[in-house]
Amino acid sequence: MSVINVGQAVVLGAIEGVTEFLPVSSTGHLKITEGLMGIPVDDNAVVGFSAVIQVGAIAAVLVYFFKDIVRILSAWGRGLRDREERYHHDYKFAWWVICATIPIVIVGLAAKPLIEGPLASLWVVAASLIVGSGVMWAADQMGRHKRGEDDTSFKDAMLVGCSQILALLFPGFSRSGATMSTALILDLDRVAATRLSFFLGIPALTGAGLYELKDALGTGVGAAPLLVGTLVSFVVAYGSIAWLLRFVAKHSFNAFVIYRLVIGVALFGLLGAGVLS
């Protein structure tokens, strides 16, 4: 019998879709929800399920930014054939995304036993939510928000890409939160920071989902829950992306900081009271 049924997959898919690109930690929210539903958060099949349904959210990014992605990939293809095209920002940006993904792949493979073991703890999630909020608040205050997407450099992409490792090792820190915070510290404006976070997430999250697919199917999660969870994640994530880009154009990240603090403190309380373990 599957460790996750279709009804639970719908709930988890919706949670994934809402939180994957908001700087509030999708992994943290999934683990909290799994714990409340009595699903073992450190089970290999459950960890695999969480990674696979992220592909639905990534598919939403591919659809939402389809024209941008086609433009970047076209520039990359032209640059491979024509030396003159290699000065184009889109050509260089494509290579930056590829290079910036390498560190998280290396760490993800090397630290897989830790990620799926001790670091999958809800205590780690609670602490990471709170620490990550402080980092996000400081980054929003420190950043001068003066650089747009066309002003990004290879250094920016590598630093922001490497920051994804924080969320990989400490579920609750938030991949979006880590990447956006790093981009803000580098003085990118909030919209540019958010878009860069989206683009850097495409190869990292897609790769993680495909890598975990065999474990999710082979150790206790049926095909039906995986399919349903992924589809729900796609639909909800598309709406979440559209909302977030409108929100960051006019607001700071303070609302997310406060929300993370509240959830982190509440989670510590639930763990301390024995409601969650």
Side-chain angles (χ1 to χ4, degrees):
M1 180 177 293
S2 174
V3 296
I4 297 175
N5 61 42
V6 172
Q8 292 169 331
V10 171
V11 174
L12 294 174
I15 295 292
E16 164 64 25
V18 170
T19 60
E20 180 58 59
F21 301 110
L22 302 186
V24 296
S25 176
S26 61
T27 303
H29 279 72
L30 285 173
K31 289 187 179 299
I32 293 170
T33 306
E34 289 161 0
L36 291 172
M37 291 193 296
I39 299 171
V41 299
D42 56 351
D43 186 285
N44 286 343
V46 176
V47 174
F49 173 85
S50 299
V52 171
I53 64 173
Q54 286 178 335
V55 176
I58 289 301
V61 173
L62 295 176
V63 173
Y64 192 91
F65 292 107
F66 181 74
K67 291 182 179 179
D68 295 293
I69 293 169
V70 169
R71 188 191 74 242
I72 292 168
L73 289 179
S74 297
W76 184 65
R78 291 194 302 272
L80 292 177
R81 299 188 304 271
D82 185 349
R83 183 184 298 272
E84 293 298 321
E85 293 289 337
R86 296 173 191 174
Y87 296 100
H88 197 287
H89 182 269
D90 285 340
Y91 170 79
K92 292 185 284 187
F93 185 77
W95 275 116
W96 297 346
V97 170
I98 294 170
C99 292
T101 303
I102 295 174
I104 193 173
V105 172
I106 294 173
V107 174
L109 293 174
K112 192 172 188 289
L114 283 174
I115 295 167
E116 296 182 351
L119 294 179
S121 164
L122 287 175
W123 290 98
V124 175
V125 171
S128 299
L129 278 166
I130 293 172
V131 172
S133 347
V135 172
M136 185 180 298
W137 179 83
D140 209 10
Q141 300 302 311
M142 291 167 55
R144 289 178 286 179
H145 315 294
K146 66 177 185 178
R147 300 170 58 208
E149 187 174 347
D150 290 338
D151 299 317
T152 55
S153 65
F154 175 70
K155 176 184 175 182
D156 296 329
M158 288 302 298
L159 289 173
V160 174
C162 286
S163 71
Q164 296 179 109
I165 294 171
L166 287 171
L168 182 67
L169 297 178
F170 305 107
F173 202 96
S174 170
R175 191 202 66 82
S176 294
T179 52
M180 291 177 191
S181 295
T182 303
L184 290 174
I185 291 172
L186 295 170
D187 293 330
L188 269 69
D189 63 46
R190 295 187 184 97
V191 173
T194 303
R195 285 173 59 88
L196 181 58
S197 175
F198 286 145
F199 288 122
L200 286 173
I202 292 172
L205 295 178
T206 302
L210 295 176
Y211 181 79
E212 295 286 357
L213 180 59
K214 65 182 188 304
D215 291 336
L217 285 173
T219 57
V221 177
L226 276 173
L227 179 61
V228 170
T230 303
L231 288 175
V232 171
S233 172
F234 168 79
V235 174
V236 177
Y238 190 90
S240 179
I241 293 167
W243 176 84
L244 180 60
L245 287 171
R246 291 195 301 269
F247 181 85
V248 298
K250 299 179 180 179
H251 302 86
S252 72
F253 287 112
N254 288 343
F256 298 118
V257 170
I258 295 170
Y259 174 79
R260 290 171 58 103
L261 285 172
V262 170
I263 295 297
V265 171
L267 181 55
F268 269 128
L270 291 172
L271 290 168
V275 177
L276 292 175
S277 62

